[in-house]
Every structure is written in structure tokens, then in C-alpha cells.
Amino acid sequence: MVKLVLAVTFLWLVTGITVPLYAQQSSNNLADLWRNVAENYAGIKAKQTATDAAALNERAVQSNRLPQIKAQAQSSYGTYNGAGGAFFPQAGFFNVSGDASLHGASLSSNSFGSAVVDWEVFSFGKLQNETQAARSLTNKASSEKETYVLTLKKLLSERYIKLLYNKTKLSWNEKTLERLDEIRLITSGLSKAGLKPAADSLLSSSAYTQSLAQNDKLEGNSSAALIKLQELSGKEVIQFNSSLSHFAKPMVYIEKRTAIIDNSHPVLATLKNQTEFYRSKSAVEKSASLPSVHFLGGLSYKGSSINDNGYVSGKWEDGFSNNANNFLAGVGITWNITNVLANNYRSNRFSKEAESVAHLHVQYQQAMQADLTAAQVQISQQFKQIEKTTTAVKQADDAYNMYLSRYKSGLIALNELLQIQLLFEVAENQHLEASRDYWMLVAYEAELTSDFNFLFTNL
């Protein structure tokens, strides 16, 4: 007998430990869902790819600081007849050098190779400004990604809140069904006993059927909310029972909360980087109006099948004979004077664009600050509403049970009991809507402050 008691006790202890652990492992919260979104959602990957592309563009712009080296090599076979006189080099024309005293083959073979170095060593800050503009675009792409991530966090939170709201409302409506079914059975029994009119039985059945219809609607809403959440989270099975238990009993927001919009907020950072881009482009256009200094250098090799005696060989390999090597080095100044006025207009245009985005930055900052202050006031008041609706639901529950007892005793009519039931249902709906609005406000504040810690921890 003692062994049996010990075995049962051991089994109870193991079961008591295993079940909570399993429940803990199988349950999800909002933070778990977000980790899955951050790792797998295609939209985030698209934004990251755009950021990588901007970084590669920045490196490409930086490479413009390097010397530009061009090389060519060719081997040609053609005539060599020449004629004196000057001409303008137009498309479709090519120059041929020749002499009437040449003799031998009518076609000659030629070879030519060259390498030219063009290094822009000074451009009045043009290259530096182009690099700065490219860096601003990279920073803008990065902050746009962070803005998108914030938007996704809020979207995930809203879909999760809607799911919890619909699931909780469905659960509460099922309790309403149980109450109405109890009333229906009691009324049916009293009607059959001749203590209540048959109309009461029809009325209670009607109320029960209406609640059944409402249950069908709530099941559809819950299924739709789950599908939308699965699409975003990428998880087919979502365990949300732990969140359901305290959705309608939210915790007060007691964490240290910022009351000022940070300048590093991704939305503001995007506008700031956009402003810097336009300012850099304005500087680029302004410096483009000034001359640039280039270091020039070149090497060339030329071979010909015409020897020093004027004899022309028709063999292709002789085109690599009778070679001549040359080099060239120097400093050049390039100045596009014609575009000075146009560059000035473009510079002023980008400057105005920068000014416009800077004003937009101020507008967004002020609007976000007002929204944050308003949201925090609403959250505080919303929690007070939840406290009161919680009390109202409990009082309505107690009142319903009292009136149900009185109805069973024949002290009140059915319509009075159904009115109390309806008031009970209204109190429950108001409480659920207050809870939903509270969590939605918390999600909105989290987006404004870029801090989802409280929401992800408590929901």
C-alpha cells in the first residue's frame, strides 16, 4: 500500500512539473511572433537588399576618386592611300596616312596598342560631395528599413490584438449562449407546466437563436484574424492562450516612458538623410560649374608592314614590325563654361528641395510629439476605464444571478431577466472594447517611441 501511494505521488509530481513546462514551451507571445517575422518576412529582406544596393552604389561613387585607366589593342588590314588636305572628323570618316612613293602590296597590315591614364586630382570638392550624397542615400535606405520594421511591429501587434479581441469576445459570447440556453430551458419547463405563457418560451428561444447567429459571426471574425496573423508571422500554428488570459486584464503601463520624440526616430532620420542628400547634390552642381584639374599620361605602340624604304609587305605578321613607341604626360584643366548657368539653376533647385524636406522634418517632429503626448494621456484614461468596466462586469454578473433566482421563483417576468442579461452583455462588450483600445494605444505609442518592450513582454 505504501509503495502504491509513493508511486502515485511520484507520478503526480512528474505530471505537475511536465505539464507547466510543456505549456510554457508551446505558448507564444508577441515577442516570439516578431522574431519569426524578423527572420523570415520577405518585406524585411527586400528592404535589406535595397540598403545593400545603396551601400554598393556608395562604393561605386567612391571609386570615381581612382585614376581612370583605359587601354586598347588592335590589328587592322587595309589600304594606305592618302590625300592631303584638312577635314572635320565626322561619323563615318576615318583618316589614312599614305605616300605616293610607297611600293609593294596594295594592302598593309597594322597593329596598335595604347594605355591612357586620366586622374582628376582636384575638382573643388565635387568628388567629395558626390561621395557624401551617396552616403546620405545609404543612410536613407537604412533608416527607411528601420521605419518599415517599426511599421511591421505595429501591424503585427494590431493583428495580434484583433485576434485576441475576437477570440475573447467569442469565448464570452459562448458564456452568453450558456446563460440564454439556461433561460430557454427554464422557460420551456415553466411553459409546459402552465406557469408561464408560451410566448415566453418563444421569446427566450429567439434570444438564444440571435446569440447563436452572433456566435457564427464571431467565429468568422476570429478565423479571418488568425489567417491575417499567420500571413505576417509565417507560423501555421500559433499558441496564444497565455495572452488570452490577460488580454482583458491588462497591466498598467508603469515602465519609465519617454515623453519626447527622439531625433534618431527612423521616420525623422529618413527625412534628415533626405535633406543631407539634396544639400550634397546642390554642392555637387555648384562645384561642377568650376574647372577640374587632371593628370594625364599615356603609352602607345604602333607597328606597320611598311618599312623605312617604302616597301609595303602584304603579310599580316609583318604588321607587327617597324614599330614605334611613344609616351605622353601632362596636366590638363577642363572647364565646361557653357553649363555654368544650368549648373547654377540645378544647384538652387536641390537647395530648395533640401529646404522643403527640412521644413517637413520639423512638421513631422511636431506632429509626432503631439501624437505621443495625446496617446500617453489616452492610455492613462483608458486604463481607468478598464478598471471601471471590470467592476461593472462583476456587478452585472452578480445582478444577473440574483435576478435569475428571482425569475425561477416567479417574482419577475422574462422580459426583465432578458433586459438584465442584455445589460450584462453590454457591460462585457464595453470592457472588451476598452481593453482592445488600450492595447492599440500602447502599440501606437510604441511606434512613436520606437520601443515595443512593454507590449512584447506583456502581450
Side-chain angles (χ1 to χ4, degrees):
M1 182 66 182
V2 175
K3 291 183 178 179
L4 179 60
V5 172
L6 290 175
V8 171
T9 304
F10 176 78
L11 180 61
W12 177 80
L13 288 174
V14 171
T15 305
I17 294 173
T18 305
V19 171
L21 285 176
Y22 175 77
Q24 183 177 4
Q25 291 172 355
S26 62
S27 63
N28 301 120
N29 59 13
L30 200 49
D32 296 327
L33 293 178
W34 171 247
R35 279 191 288 270
N36 202 65
V37 173
E39 292 173 1
N40 303 309
Y41 197 63
I44 295 180
K45 294 179 180 179
K47 289 294 181 181
Q48 182 58 51
T49 303
T51 302
D52 295 340
L56 290 173
N57 176 69
E58 181 183 349
R59 294 182 63 180
V61 172
Q62 289 175 344
S63 67
N64 291 336
R65 293 172 173 265
L66 300 175
Q68 304 299 307
I69 302 176
K70 299 178 182 179
Q72 66 165 330
Q74 67 182 50
S75 177
S76 58
Y77 198 70
T79 59
Y80 51 86
N81 295 321
F87 67 96
F88 288 99
Q90 301 292 335
F93 289 83
F94 61 94
N95 188 19
V96 176
S97 243
D99 193 294
S101 62
L102 298 179
H103 58 281
S106 59
L107 298 173
S108 68
S109 176
N110 300 275
S111 58
F112 180 78
S114 69
V116 179
V117 177
D118 183 354
W119 188 7
E120 191 173 4
V121 293
F122 187 72
S123 60
F124 294 93
K126 176 184 175 183
L127 294 178
Q128 181 179 355
N129 291 325
E130 286 179 344
T131 302
Q132 181 59 43
R135 185 175 299 113
S136 297
L137 280 181
T138 302
N139 294 336
K140 179 174 176 286
S142 179
S143 56
E144 283 178 344
K145 177 198 169 186
E146 295 303 318
T147 301
Y148 181 72
V149 166
L150 268 185
T151 303
L152 273 185
K153 285 182 177 180
K154 183 187 176 187
L155 182 61
L156 177 69
S157 302
E158 289 177 342
R159 291 188 181 182
Y160 194 62
I161 292 168
K162 287 180 180 178
L163 175 64
L164 296 179
Y165 169 75
N166 284 294
K167 286 292 184 181
T168 305
K169 193 166 184 179
L170 176 61
S171 176
W172 285 21
N173 192 71
E174 288 172 350
K175 294 178 182 178
T176 300
L177 272 174
E178 293 176 3
R179 292 195 298 267
L180 292 173
D181 189 40
E182 182 182 13
I183 295 173
R184 183 173 63 89
L185 293 176
I186 294 172
T187 305
S188 177
L190 293 174
S191 296
K192 289 179 180 179
L195 300 176
K196 293 289 183 180
D200 281 6
S201 180
L202 293 174
L203 183 60
S204 61
S205 296
S206 174
Y208 177 74
T209 305
Q210 289 179 40
S211 189
L212 272 178
Q214 180 69 10
N215 214 58
D216 292 335
K217 175 185 176 181
L218 293 175
E219 284 183 350
N221 291 343
S222 299
S223 299
L226 180 59
I227 291 171
K228 296 292 285 184
L229 184 62
Q230 288 172 335
E231 180 274 327
L232 185 56
S233 66
K235 300 189 74 171
E236 291 296 326
V237 179
I238 300 176
Q239 301 290 340
F240 46 83
N241 291 333
S242 59
S243 298
L244 273 177
S245 62
H246 54 263
F247 169 76
K249 300 176 182 178
M251 295 180 59
V252 64
Y253 202 160
I254 58 176
E255 291 186 359
K256 185 178 179 181
R257 302 156 70 183
T258 178
I260 300 176
I261 295 294
D262 196 334
N263 282 328
S264 62
H265 191 282
V267 172
L268 299 179
T270 300
L271 294 173
K272 180 182 177 182
N273 292 324
Q274 183 74 15
T275 302
E276 292 299 324
F277 169 74
Y278 283 133
R279 286 174 179 168
S280 298
K281 289 295 290 182
S282 176
V284 167
E285 294 297 334
K286 186 174 293 185
S287 59
S289 301
L290 302 173
S292 58
V293 180
H294 297 250
F295 170 76
L296 305 173
L299 296 172
S300 71
Y301 160 87
K302 183 178 181 181
S304 174
S305 61
I306 304 175
N307 62 21
D308 294 339
N309 297 323
Y311 176 74
V312 179
S313 172
K315 297 180 180 180
W316 174 81
E317 60 269 19
D318 288 341
F320 296 93
S321 305
N322 308 312
N323 56 65
N325 299 313
N326 293 284
F327 76 91
L328 178 69
V331 177
I333 297 179
T334 303
W335 192 359
N336 191 335
I337 300 176
T338 304
N339 285 341
V340 169
L341 185 59
N343 288 337
N344 185 55
Y345 286 140
R346 282 193 287 266
S347 176
N348 291 336
R349 170 211 157 191
F350 284 122
S351 180
K352 288 296 182 183
E353 292 280 5
E355 186 178 348
S356 174
V357 178
H359 289 313
L360 195 61
H361 181 280
V362 174
Q363 177 196 339
Y364 268 65
Q365 188 172 28
Q366 292 175 347
M368 291 170 66
Q369 183 61 58
D371 287 348
L372 177 60
T373 304
Q376 290 178 343
V377 171
Q378 284 182 289
I379 288 173
S380 178
Q381 295 302 119
Q382 197 71 32
F383 193 80
K384 292 179 181 179
Q385 182 189 7
I386 290 173
E387 291 178 326
K388 291 180 175 63
T389 55
T390 301
T391 304
V393 169
K394 186 178 183 306
Q395 291 173 340
D397 188 15
D398 294 340
Y400 171 78
N401 291 326
M402 292 178 185
Y403 274 95
L404 180 61
S405 299
R406 297 184 68 185
Y407 176 71
K408 290 178 180 178
S409 303
L411 298 176
I412 62 172
L414 176 62
N415 61 338
E416 294 178 88
L417 180 60
L418 290 179
Q419 286 178 355
I420 301 302
Q421 152 60 29
L422 182 59
L423 289 174
F424 188 11
E425 192 173 344
V426 169
E428 288 180 326
N429 287 334
Q430 287 182 346
H431 179 69
L432 283 181
E433 289 173 1
S435 300
R436 178 198 60 192
D437 294 344
Y438 172 80
W439 289 115
M440 287 291 190
L441 285 169
V442 171
Y444 183 50
E445 185 200 30
E447 183 188 30
L448 290 171
T449 59
S450 305
D451 184 6
F452 281 79
N453 181 61
F454 175 82
L455 191 63
F456 283 3
T457 303
N458 294 282
L459 195 61

